Amino acid sequence: MMDLKKEKLANEMKRNPFLVLSNFIFDSLYKDIIKLNIPPGTKLNESKIALELGVSRTPVKHAINQLIKMGLVQKKDEKLSIVSPMGKEESRSLYEARIAVEGYAAYLAARRISEKDLSELNFLVKEYIEIGKNINVQTYAECDHNFHSIIIKASGNDYIQEMYGSIKNRILHYRRYLHYQIDKSSLQPVLTRASRHHQAIYNA
């Protein structure tokens, strides 16, 4: 995988010599973490990543620091970090934060939402139904993320949007992780119930 990334980085540098290395490394690590290509608890060694990509440690360090600020990575020592693990305490804290922020955001959005945002929610509700049939966890996580992000934006409250922004990447990470832990035979009814719940939110 790293050989492909190294080749991709080299090609990007040819196309854009002013490419900021830390941005490329950040985007690459972010996508791999969110999609669980790099599982929770995995060690991220700055020196090893730099060596594999053929770059210095500095841009790798900057990229990892960005991920730490997002809560997706935890610093262990000067050279070693790990992808943030998922535990019961973490999930409970996220759930409580979502209730506090998303609940009131939905209350405000019900009064302030635009026709355009309402139309997008309706589209996503239909997407839920199709995803439930095909059991596509990656697509479900994206759909769910977009649905709730629209409601947060529709609240029209900058402070609520800022608060949600501080946890949204962790929530997206957790959504994927949670559904990968559920047996496929048990996942179908979970997604079906989720579709109904989101239809109810849209109707409200």
Side-chain angles (χ1 to χ4, degrees):
M1 185 180 288
M2 275 297 179
D3 287 339
L4 291 174
K5 288 181 181 177
K6 187 174 182 179
E7 183 181 345
K8 185 179 179 182
L9 175 58
N11 291 334
E12 288 290 338
M13 290 296 292
K14 286 179 183 178
R15 284 195 293 269
N16 180 10
F18 300 105
L19 175 72
V20 179
L21 284 177
S22 60
N23 290 347
F24 175 89
I25 296 167
F26 165 78
D27 287 340
S28 179
L29 288 174
Y30 174 84
K31 289 174 183 174
D32 279 343
I33 289 171
I34 289 293
K35 293 180 178 179
L36 303 183
N37 293 331
I38 303 178
T42 301
K43 294 178 181 179
L44 297 177
N45 187 297
E46 292 175 9
S47 299
K48 184 179 178 182
I49 294 172
L51 182 65
E52 289 174 337
L53 289 175
V55 300
S56 70
R57 273 186 57 200
T58 301
V60 177
K61 186 180 182 68
H62 284 314
I64 289 177
N65 283 340
Q66 281 182 272
L67 294 165
I68 290 172
K69 289 177 182 178
M70 288 181 168
L72 295 175
V73 170
Q74 295 176 3
K75 193 78 171 176
K76 286 299 179 182
D77 57 42
E78 186 59 31
K79 294 184 179 180
L80 182 65
S81 302
I82 65 166
V83 176
S84 296
M86 296 286 185
K88 289 182 179 180
E89 188 61 32
E90 168 77 6
S91 62
R92 184 177 66 82
S93 296
L94 271 177
Y95 185 71
E96 291 171 349
R98 287 188 65 189
I99 289 174
V101 178
E102 292 185 21
Y104 196 69
Y107 168 78
L108 294 175
R111 297 187 296 168
R112 299 174 179 175
I113 194 165
S114 67
E115 288 297 326
K116 180 177 179 295
D117 286 340
L118 203 56
S119 177
E120 288 182 18
L121 285 183
N122 188 31
F123 173 80
L124 290 171
V125 165
K126 293 174 182 176
E127 284 284 293
Y128 275 112
I129 297 171
E130 293 305 313
I131 292 167
K133 293 176 183 175
N134 301 319
I135 316 182
N136 188 320
V137 175
Q138 293 284 357
T139 307
Y140 172 81
E142 289 291 343
C143 187
D144 199 39
H145 178 72
N146 292 336
F147 184 92
H148 291 282
S149 293
I150 289 172
I151 292 175
I152 294 294
K153 183 186 74 170
S155 73
N157 187 299
D158 291 340
Y159 292 107
I160 286 177
Q161 292 179 55
E162 185 178 344
M163 285 188 285
Y164 186 75
S166 68
I167 60 173
K168 70 176 183 179
N169 289 295
R170 196 71 176 118
I171 292 171
L172 181 56
H173 191 205
Y174 179 72
R175 280 187 181 112
R176 283 197 168 95
Y177 182 77
L178 177 64
H179 290 106
Y180 271 114
Q181 301 311 302
I182 302 174
D183 181 77
K184 205 161 188 179
S185 61
S186 303
L187 190 56
Q188 181 85 56
V190 170
L191 295 182
T192 299
R193 284 196 301 273
S195 298
R196 291 172 185 159
H197 291 162
H198 288 81
Q199 178 71 60
I201 293 171
Y202 167 75
N203 291 341

